[in-house]
Amino acid sequence: MIAGEQLRLRLHDGKLIKDRRYHLRTYPNCFVAQELIDWLVSHKEAPDRATAVCLMQHLMDHDIIHHVCDKRSVLKDAKLLYRFRKDDGTFPFNTEVKIFMRGQQLFEHLIGDKDSILQLRVEHGVAYQRSFPGCQLIDWLLQNMEAESRRQALDLCRILQEHGIIQHVTKKYDFFDSGLLYQFCINFCRRRHLSELLSESEEDDEDVVILTQEDNHLESPFVLHKSHPQEGSSAFQSGKYLEQATSGRRRSLTQLHSAGFPPFVQLNSTSVICNPKSVLSRSYTSEELLAPGAPFMKKVLTVIGDDLAWGFVVRGMAPCYVQAVDPGSPAAAAGVKVRQFLCQVNGQCVLYLDYRTVSRLVMTGPRTVVLEVMEPLE
């Protein structure tokens, strides 16, 4: 969403977005797909036209842009008119998006203040960039008329924390009107490269994680480090470090923020592909899971994602199963365990879907994920 908005503003500045006439009808604030592809290649946002089309299709799939008549679900490199949903008021402003945009607005306002409360602060010998005491943020919200009372300001800050916009610097505490230090989890002002939208390779069952160089710093919640697996752990048993590709959305994080991936650690320069051995003793079909008397028990689990993701890895072609769980993650706290099979995600049956489709459902859905799982009886 951030990358799409930054692109929209650049295209307005470059006059690629304007009112256009077609078949005696005027379409306001639209662009010609072919001209946009030309622009992306000439401005080195994409190495070739095919990649540029993939980038724009990604925005289209996530309701950032659409065909002016909504007759096409696929972006074509042709003289066809498309438009940003932000420009015609059709962007789906659900509750989570509104909270996300409120967080972005507050961050940009805070970072632009001459005497910003976002400063380098030290707590217990550790320095935290752009951090702030909770009470100072509440004071700022009241002074800038962002809230009418301290209670309303406190409620707003807790909502921002629940949706992964801000966090306690050590993630130990909820938000309080006190001197505890907090940080924004996202640097909204960083320029997003469109190439970050293409997150993962779709080759076979291999999981690839890539981070941009700009995300390889302490301010980014997307810098990952692979810890050494302990004996008996269900974590990935191959690979040391992961680096060099996308992070913007949570798109690749369900599969990648698995056991042994604490945040904020410097990476080396070696890219690694992890393809762990399955934790299942044998494969199962969906029919076997649903058969009367099958040795499985159903559970409903609610996982509330944090600033990284949810903390579990999904594998399998159908049915999907949990391959690994980060012991300190929201998934572990909710009761997600290895070898559980996924039956439903947010009320949708996923027994016959592969892991890529299931992962996409989780990553493009709300921050709170309701899972119906089946686990083997002890």
Side-chain angles (χ1 to χ4, degrees):
M1 191 167 71
I2 298 175
E5 179 63 9
Q6 291 178 349
L7 175 63
R8 185 182 74 88
L9 296 175
R10 291 177 68 194
L11 295 180
H12 272 288
D13 291 340
K15 308 300 181 185
L16 265 74
I17 294 179
K18 57 186 177 182
D19 295 352
R20 299 175 187 271
R21 193 168 180 81
Y22 182 72
H23 285 182
L24 302 179
R25 179 178 174 182
T26 299
Y27 295 90
N29 292 323
C30 59
F31 60 88
V32 178
Q34 194 174 72
E35 293 179 5
L36 175 59
I37 301 304
D38 291 339
W39 185 90
L40 291 171
V41 174
S42 65
H43 284 73
K44 302 188 185 304
E45 290 287 352
D48 50 56
R49 301 187 74 84
T51 304
V53 170
C54 288
L55 289 169
M56 292 304 99
Q57 184 62 48
H58 193 80
L59 291 181
M60 198 167 184
D61 291 341
H62 289 84
D63 285 330
I64 306 297
I65 62 177
H66 68 122
H67 183 259
V68 291
C69 297
D70 285 321
K71 291 182 178 179
R72 298 174 181 272
S73 59
V74 176
L75 188 134
K76 298 286 188 181
D77 185 1
K79 292 183 178 180
L80 297 171
L81 298 181
Y82 296 83
R83 183 188 289 134
F84 281 82
R85 290 191 179 276
K86 199 83 175 286
D87 283 331
D88 62 9
T90 61
F91 188 83
F93 287 101
N94 57 35
T95 301
E96 186 165 346
V97 168
K98 289 178 181 177
I99 293 170
F100 183 88
M101 295 184 70
R102 183 74 185 277
Q104 180 177 7
Q105 172 199 358
L106 293 176
F107 179 86
E108 292 173 348
H109 192 171
L110 284 164
I111 208 73
D113 275 359
K114 183 178 179 181
D115 298 316
S116 176
I117 65 171
L118 304 184
Q119 298 178 12
L120 177 67
R121 303 175 192 272
V122 178
E123 184 172 88
H124 302 304
V126 180
Y128 298 99
Q129 295 186 13
R130 293 179 181 172
S131 59
F132 54 88
C135 57
Q136 285 194 19
L137 178 58
I138 288 180
D139 291 340
W140 183 91
L141 290 171
L142 292 171
Q143 292 166 8
N144 289 271
M145 302 179 68
E146 295 286 351
E148 297 179 358
S149 65
R150 295 194 78 83
R151 182 64 205 180
Q152 189 182 85
L154 178 61
D155 289 342
L156 171 59
C157 293
R158 287 181 172 171
I159 289 173
L160 293 176
Q161 185 182 35
E162 288 171 5
H163 285 77
I165 306 298
I166 62 175
Q167 66 180 12
H168 181 255
V169 290
T170 61
K171 304 181 186 177
K172 291 183 178 179
Y173 302 101
D174 291 335
F175 192 93
F176 292 101
D177 185 358
S178 69
L180 291 172
L181 288 185
Y182 299 87
Q183 288 176 310
F184 276 83
C185 304
I186 305 171
N187 183 356
F188 290 97
C189 293
R190 180 179 67 80
R191 162 79 185 281
R192 263 68 181 175
H193 295 290
L194 292 177
S195 58
E196 295 176 39
L197 298 177
L198 299 181
S199 58
E200 73 223 16
S201 168
E202 294 293 328
E203 298 177 5
D204 302 322
D205 286 339
E206 295 172 336
D207 298 323
V208 182
V209 185
I210 308 172
L211 296 177
T212 63
Q213 292 295 332
E214 290 181 66
D215 280 324
N216 194 6
H217 54 72
L218 292 180
E219 292 176 25
S220 172
F222 302 111
V223 176
L224 312 179
H225 175 244
K226 186 79 172 72
S227 66
H228 298 293
Q230 299 177 356
E231 187 175 353
S233 170
S234 61
F236 290 151
Q237 301 297 315
S238 60
K240 292 182 179 179
Y241 300 94
L242 305 173
E243 120 164 272
Q244 291 270 256
T246 79
S247 54
R249 288 177 62 87
R250 294 182 295 199
R251 189 173 187 283
S252 62
L253 300 183
T254 298
Q255 297 172 344
L256 309 173
H257 291 261
S258 56
F261 285 91
F264 310 144
V265 182
Q266 184 72 23
L267 305 178
N268 72 357
S269 59
T270 307
S271 295
V272 175
I273 295 177
C274 294
N275 192 18
K277 183 179 179 181
S278 172
V279 295
L280 298 180
S281 57
R282 72 172 182 87
S283 60
Y284 290 84
T285 65
S286 300
E287 288 71 22
E288 285 181 283
L289 297 180
L290 298 175
F296 294 95
M297 174 176 60
K298 276 190 178 182
K299 287 186 177 181
V300 176
L301 309 173
T302 301
V303 185
I304 303 175
D306 59 17
D307 57 299
L308 292 179
W310 296 268
F312 65 102
V313 179
V314 177
R315 298 301 298 272
M317 299 311 294
C320 295
Y321 60 91
V322 178
Q323 168 74 13
V325 180
D326 179 352
S329 69
V336 178
K337 301 176 183 178
V338 296
R339 291 184 288 277
Q340 286 177 338
F341 291 92
L342 272 66
C343 301
Q344 292 187 14
V345 173
N346 294 328
Q348 179 175 342
C349 179
V350 297
L351 271 173
Y352 303 96
L353 303 180
D354 64 19
Y355 79 93
R356 287 194 183 96
T357 306
V358 173
S359 297
R360 194 169 292 114
L361 281 175
V362 174
M363 290 182 283
T364 59
R367 183 167 172 264
T368 299
V369 180
V370 179
L371 304 175
E372 182 181 280
V373 301
M374 295 183 74
E375 65 179 38
L377 292 172
E378 295 296 336

